[in-house]
Amino acid sequence: MSRVYDLVIAGGGAAGLTAAVYAVRSGLDFLLVDSSASMGSQIAQTDEVDNYTGIDSITGIELVQRFYDHANKLNAPMKNDTIKKITKQNELFSVECEGQTLLAKSVIFCAGAGHRKLGIKGENEFTGRGVGYCAVCDGFFYRNKTVVVVGGGNTAVTEAIYLSKICKKVYLVHRRDTLRAERALTKKLESADNIEILYSSELAQICGGNSVSSVILKNGKELECQGVFIAVGIVPRSEAIKDIADTDEYGFVLASESGKTSCKGLFAAGDVRTKSLRQIITACSDGANCIDSVNRFLNEGAQK
Ligand code: NAP
């Protein structure tokens, strides 16, 4: 008979690695599965994290490494594999990965979110040749050049600040007349003298030959630039559980702080679930809360 885990943790970001730490402490028989060898890919794309209590400043890569090292030190079982689909039959979850299928009594789904696309002409064509979604990953290629950042949230503002230290000039193009990003970040943005904010502006097209040479705004204005960083929000990676759990209209898994979803035994944590504040610290909190919920769920089953 195949091994049946108490729990599979699907995702190795802040939520998943915290869940792993708490799962070890609870003595659960579990496995964490993540598609990336480095784990925590979304945090790793953050230049500076300065709002994680107790650590006044750290790079995203260093923080996720600490999360990973902590889980590893506790011998948390982790595996690199890509989860394709999760189904439930006869009270057991079947976690179909590329390499194997795992059986579990419960699942914490914490696959995070990816970048939303703008959907304009030139975006797909120039991706990797001037269009990017991660300044920390690709910013280096635009040293002393001019770049455009699109968006008005925390990610766009963080990326613009990061790029302002590398590039000659940064345009921040935002569709409304006020930024969505938090005040501490907008203050930093406003103090950089090589960032020009273009409010109430939207990109119509990205142009170039072999690589990007300019963008055209909807008002017809053309901005010469060599790079375009798109930061217009996130898309939840909830595809693998869409047949067993309810989501909202955007695909975020409907779940409260306890992580409980519409499917018994399936819990959602981190950016993939419906919540009002998506931060590393709230993802960690979700991971811990989910283990409490998993313990309660497994104990209920044991008492039947
Ligand atoms: P976000 O907060 O949803 O912001 C997306 C931005 O893109 C908004 O300004 C939005 O404009 C704009 N936008 C959306 N669709 C667009 C379109 N089609 N064309 C032009 N602009 C468009 O997303 P995010 O900045 O990626 O952040 C995601 C989550 O991670 C948030 O919860 C955020 O707080 C969190 N985060 C936190 C930190 C931090 O704490 N330092 C850093 C990064 C991310 P409108 O404003 O007009 O809607």
Side-chain angles (χ1 to χ4, degrees):
M1 163 137 176
S2 309
R3 176 173 182 176
V4 177
Y5 290 96
D6 288 334
L7 167 70
V8 166
I9 300 172
L17 289 168
T18 305
V21 167
Y22 278 72
V24 171
R25 295 159 65 97
S26 294
L28 293 171
D29 176 28
F30 75 100
L31 181 65
L32 182 152
V33 182
D34 189 278
S35 58
S36 143
S38 55
M39 309 260 169
S41 57
Q42 219 190 326
I43 319 171
Q45 293 180 6
T46 309
D47 169 35
E48 187 192 5
V49 177
D50 59 5
N51 56 2
Y52 194 87
T53 322
I55 303 175
D56 57 7
S57 177
I58 189 167
T59 65
I61 288 182
E62 275 179 274
L63 184 58
V64 78
Q65 186 63 47
R66 285 201 197 179
F67 290 162
Y68 178 78
D69 289 347
H70 189 171
N72 212 20
K73 205 172 166 186
L74 295 172
N75 295 320
M78 298 186 258
K79 185 178 167 53
N80 290 129
D81 207 337
T82 301
I83 293 171
K84 297 166 88 67
K85 199 174 174 59
I86 301 178
T87 52
K88 190 180 179 191
Q89 229 177 9
N90 303 329
E91 305 296 312
L92 275 191
F93 291 93
S94 179
V95 182
E96 284 174 42
C97 305
E98 258 169 19
Q100 65 179 125
T101 295
L102 306 163
L103 295 177
K105 295 175 197 162
S106 67
V107 171
I108 296 178
F109 191 74
C110 42
H115 306 288
R116 182 184 290 144
K117 291 199 160 196
L118 256 186
I120 58 166
K121 204 170 164 204
E123 183 179 11
N124 285 341
E125 188 187 340
F126 290 109
T127 293
R129 293 190 296 133
V131 172
Y133 298 82
C134 169
V136 174
C137 318
D138 305 331
F140 178 77
F141 299 114
Y142 302 94
R143 188 169 288 275
N144 298 323
K145 295 187 174 165
T146 297
V147 296
V148 168
V149 176
V150 188
N154 280 335
T155 304
V157 171
T158 305
E159 303 245 302
I161 295 165
Y162 177 75
L163 289 164
S164 72
K165 295 171 198 159
I166 301 171
C167 303
K168 187 171 73 184
K169 165 106 186 171
V170 178
Y171 291 103
L172 180 69
V173 178
H174 179 42
R175 66 182 176 183
R176 284 188 301 125
D177 60 358
T178 45
L179 296 167
R180 178 183 291 276
E182 57 193 48
R183 189 72 197 122
L185 287 172
T186 59
K187 268 177 128 176
K188 275 193 196 172
L189 180 86
E190 285 156 7
S191 66
D193 53 17
N194 61 344
I195 300 178
E196 184 176 336
I197 309 171
L198 301 177
Y199 288 106
S200 307
S201 302
E202 286 182 71
L203 260 60
Q205 190 182 338
I206 300 167
C207 313
N210 282 335
S211 57
V212 168
S213 58
S214 69
V215 295
I216 298 173
L217 304 183
K218 283 191 178 166
N219 63 10
K221 194 173 171 186
E222 185 164 7
L223 304 174
E224 273 188 29
C225 62
Q226 290 75 50
V228 180
F229 287 88
I230 297 168
V232 295
I234 54 173
V235 183
R237 294 197 190 99
S238 54
E239 191 63 21
I241 56 165
K242 74 173 179 15
D243 294 340
I244 55 169
D246 294 341
T247 61
D248 70 5
E249 59 189 306
Y250 307 106
F252 289 100
V253 183
L254 293 176
S256 63
E257 197 187 6
S258 69
K260 282 185 189 170
T261 68
S262 59
C263 174
K264 228 169 174 246
L266 174 70
F267 303 87
D271 283 359
V272 78
R273 84 164 173 96
T274 48
K275 63 199 301 194
S276 60
L277 186 64
R278 291 193 171 81
Q279 304 272 296
I280 299 169
I281 205 157
T282 62
C284 292
S285 160
D286 281 2
N289 275 314
C290 275
I291 292 299
D292 180 53
S293 301
V294 164
N295 283 328
R296 289 171 195 271
F297 169 74
L298 294 175
N299 287 340
E300 267 170 34
Q303 281 163 18
K304 269 182 196 167

